[in-house]
Amino acid sequence: MAMVSMAFSLPSLTPPKFRRVNRYSRGMAYASVSKEALGVRVTEGEGNLPKVVLTSAGGSEADIYLYGGCVTSWKVANGKDLLFVRPDAVFNKKKPISGGLPHCFPQFGPGPIQQHGFARNSDWSIVDSGNVEGNPVITLELKDGPYSRSMWDFSFQALYKVILNTKSLSTELTITNTDNKPFSFSTALHSYFHASVTGASVKGLKGCKTLNKDPDPKNPLEGKEERDVVTFPGFVDCVYLDAPNELQLDNGLGDIISIRNTNWKDAVLWNPYLQMEACYKDFVCVENAQIGNVQLEPEQSWTATQHLSIG
């Protein structure tokens, strides 16, 4: 099957939105990591759940749990973790992992099925691993099964490729319709970043149409972002439609994180403020999202990339 290639220097940021592909085989079990894949290992994480640890030649490290296909840690060479996992997170498969880069698929937010869909509380499997010039690479897969079909009765394949570099973490998500009928979905990476909320800010959103879910999440207020620098002064839950392909997050802790993407059409900023009094001061969510539904015909695919980097 022809796949969209990964070019995480991201020079053009303009891959095709759709590509026709053939169907995949089931792939190998999670423990079958290639021995040649330097910097890629599978171990037990919290709650004895299997996780993949990527270690780059430059000393950076990332953890990815197979439960939820969730990247929970991205440490740069000095050991500083730029992602955040909430203190109330549980690792027992009874609920999704609260933190890191959780998947929202095939639904973002509330809707006909459970909040944010089922990808974040399903077991993913490893289908490929490698190392390119000292940069470890892992590809995870999620396919339909009885659990997903109990709420969303379609055959699909999700492939999630993660590449770790010395100063960057890149992901590529590809959704393929392996059914004989069309389906539609929405999706997001619900990205949690370690931050000092009073000093955190985001640049690049000025001019975007906004859907502000404060004060009423069920009836968001339409507006337009007029600020050059967006801050988190209190409760924040805002969708930015047709967002640019690069944002800059100042985490208030001395780091400027570039958040680049291809084909993630929208962005979401979130901080729960006093709804999570124990931890709201320590993180912000800056999420790449596809809020409007994407429709895929049989054998058609949708691909989006995210590239997080520091200077």
Side-chain angles (χ1 to χ4, degrees), residues 60-140:
S60 58
E61 189 171 281
D63 293 350
I64 307 113
Y65 278 80
L66 298 189
Y67 179 68
C70 186
V71 180
T72 57
S73 175
W74 169 37
K75 294 179 180 177
V76 289
N78 64 9
K80 189 175 188 178
D81 201 333
L82 297 174
L83 301 183
F84 182 79
V85 175
R86 287 172 14 201
D88 63 337
V90 295
F91 293 80
N92 58 11
K93 294 191 176 184
K94 292 184 179 180
K95 59 184 293 189
I97 297 171
S98 301
L101 308 178
H103 291 279
C104 303
F105 173 84
Q107 174 184 289
F108 176 76
I113 65 174
Q114 66 188 22
Q115 173 89 358
H116 291 325
F118 50 73
R120 63 184 186 150
N121 55 339
S122 297
D123 287 313
W124 296 56
S125 59
I126 295 171
V127 293
D128 196 17
S129 62
N131 189 295
V132 180
E133 297 179 351
N135 303 317
V137 184
I138 193 79
T139 302
L140 306 183

Side-chain angles (χ1 to χ4, degrees), residues 258-307:
S258 168
I259 305 171
R260 300 168 66 193
N261 83 87
T262 60
N263 216 23
W264 287 109
K265 188 177 179 183
D266 310 303
V268 182
L269 300 190
W270 181 68
N271 180 271
Y273 195 46
L274 296 179
Q275 293 178 8
M276 295 183 186
E277 194 166 3
C279 64
Y280 80 90
K281 296 178 181 179
D282 300 322
F283 78 93
V284 296
C285 286
V286 183
E287 310 167 31
N288 277 317
Q290 173 66 47
I291 302 299
N293 280 340
V294 174
Q295 178 156 317
L296 292 181
E297 299 297 324
E299 298 189 358
Q300 197 174 46
S301 287
W302 173 91
T303 295
T305 67
Q306 175 174 273
H307 184 74

Side-chain angles (χ1 to χ4, degrees), residues 125-164:
S125 59
I126 295 171
V127 293
D128 196 17
S129 62
N131 189 295
V132 180
E133 297 179 351
N135 303 317
V137 184
I138 193 79
T139 302
L140 306 183
E141 178 190 54
L142 179 66
K143 300 178 80 171
D144 57 283
Y147 175 64
S148 70
R149 283 184 169 273
S150 70
M151 61 188 94
W152 197 65
D153 193 18
F154 296 100
S155 177
F156 72 93
Q157 179 202 48
L159 287 175
Y160 188 52
K161 183 178 286 189
V162 182
I163 299 177
L164 179 67

